[in-house]
Amino acid sequence: MSRLKIPRVVKMPIEVQATDALRDSIVSGAIPPGERITELQISDQMSLSRATVRTALHQLAKEGLLTLVPYTGWTVVSLSAQDVWELYTLRSAVERLAAQLVASTMTPKKAARLDEAFERLVEECKRGDAGRIAEADFGLHKSIIVLAEHGRLAMQYGLIEQQTRMYIRSSDALVPGARKIIDQHRPIVNAIRAGDAEEGGRLSEEHNLTEGEKLSRHLKGLEMREAAVAATARPVRKRIRR
């Protein structure tokens, strides 16, 4: 009897499932930035115990997706211009090194995995779903990190991985058309695949800095407008003459 191609059922603890579901909702924007959530609200909606939800929320806080507000609850992070600056300057250095490492150790197996990640991005860009494009975009960058086979580098990247997913979603939204996203990544992939460590690293760093600066400027503009609106809405106190 031939073996059927059936995917394995992966058993996961309920806390892990809850964390994955909440993480995906935050990264996708289904739970928007700045949203306040509580253990009770989530446990009721997901039909889970508060203890399970609490474990999931604390894990997401470690990943940089939530902050705990005393006596209020949890708040989904909103990436500021400063947050974006910190992320893209760090990513540009880490991903430059990863690109160089992959290029200098290129093998047919690594080339195939890199091609697979890039082709997924191309296909999602053709389909046009913004959320799936952002995930494929992140998937390509993450593949380069994994292919570098550098444990400590991967560990450091893991600290910003989930915020990076949010960052890429916001950054891609500023790109004029999905075709441009493909064009941004193709030279990086080609250089790495060709084993050109210097060029692959340079292009990777340049891409991160250029797109990061663009998103940072965009957010800074929004922050300045919000501050101006808040200033005009603030009541003016009249001085009382004595």
Side-chain angles (χ1 to χ4, degrees):
M1 181 181 294
S2 61
R3 186 179 180 83
L4 299 176
K5 294 183 179 180
I6 303 174
R8 292 183 178 181
V9 175
V10 180
K11 295 181 180 180
M12 292 188 296
I14 191 64
E15 292 85 357
V16 176
Q17 295 182 53
T19 303
D20 288 347
L22 287 170
R23 183 190 298 113
D24 288 343
S25 295
I26 291 171
V27 172
S28 69
I31 304 178
E35 182 81 2
R36 290 186 176 182
I37 58 178
T38 65
E39 290 176 11
L40 181 60
Q41 172 193 15
I42 298 298
S43 62
D44 285 347
Q45 190 165 332
M46 298 182 74
S47 299
L48 296 171
S49 70
R50 292 185 65 175
T52 296
V53 171
R54 188 178 305 119
T55 299
L57 294 177
H58 278 285
Q59 175 57 36
L60 295 176
K62 290 180 181 178
E63 296 176 7
L65 297 180
L66 293 174
T67 56
L68 179 59
V69 182
Y71 311 109
T72 302
W74 300 83
T75 301
V76 178
V77 297
S78 297
L79 294 181
S80 65
Q82 176 67 21
D83 292 327
V84 168
W85 176 79
E86 291 181 7
L87 284 169
Y88 82 72
T89 51
L90 180 56
R91 283 187 64 208
S92 65
V94 172
E95 294 192 15
R96 178 188 179 108
L97 174 59
Q100 291 174 327
L101 291 172
V102 178
S104 62
T105 58
M106 182 53 61
T107 64
K109 186 176 181 180
K110 285 188 176 184
R113 290 179 63 183
L114 187 60
D115 288 345
E116 183 181 351
F118 180 65
E119 285 305 316
R120 184 190 167 211
L121 176 60
V122 171
E123 288 302 315
E124 294 302 345
C125 285
K126 289 179 180 178
R127 291 192 177 98
D129 182 274
R132 293 176 67 91
I133 291 172
E135 281 303 292
D137 188 339
F138 168 74
L140 175 58
H141 287 271
K142 180 64 183 294
S143 293
I144 295 171
I145 296 293
V146 173
L147 290 173
E149 298 178 331
H150 190 304
R152 287 175 174 77
L153 184 148
M155 188 182 302
Q156 293 304 310
Y157 195 81
L159 297 176
I160 60 169
E161 185 171 316
Q162 301 310 324
Q163 286 192 345
T164 296
R165 291 174 68 194
M166 295 179 70
Y167 163 105
I168 287 176
R169 188 179 182 88
S170 299
S171 179
D172 282 357
L174 300 179
V175 178
R179 172 47 99 184
K180 181 69 174 176
I181 295 175
I182 299 174
D183 293 340
Q184 289 174 346
H185 292 85
R186 191 185 301 277
I188 301 172
V189 172
N190 287 345
I192 295 173
R193 205 179 184 288
D196 191 337
E198 186 59 34
E199 183 69 357
R202 184 189 69 79
L203 289 172
S204 178
E205 181 180 46
E206 183 180 89
H207 168 65
N208 276 304
L209 292 175
T210 300
E211 296 307 305
E213 288 170 2
K214 186 189 304 180
L215 178 57
S216 185
R217 284 195 305 270
H218 172 74
L219 292 176
K220 193 170 292 184
L222 293 178
E223 290 167 6
M224 291 176 65
R225 285 194 287 273
E226 288 175 1
V229 170
T232 56
R234 193 178 300 126
V236 179
R237 296 183 179 179
K238 293 182 178 180
R239 292 184 179 181
I240 301 175
R241 294 182 179 178
R242 295 183 178 179

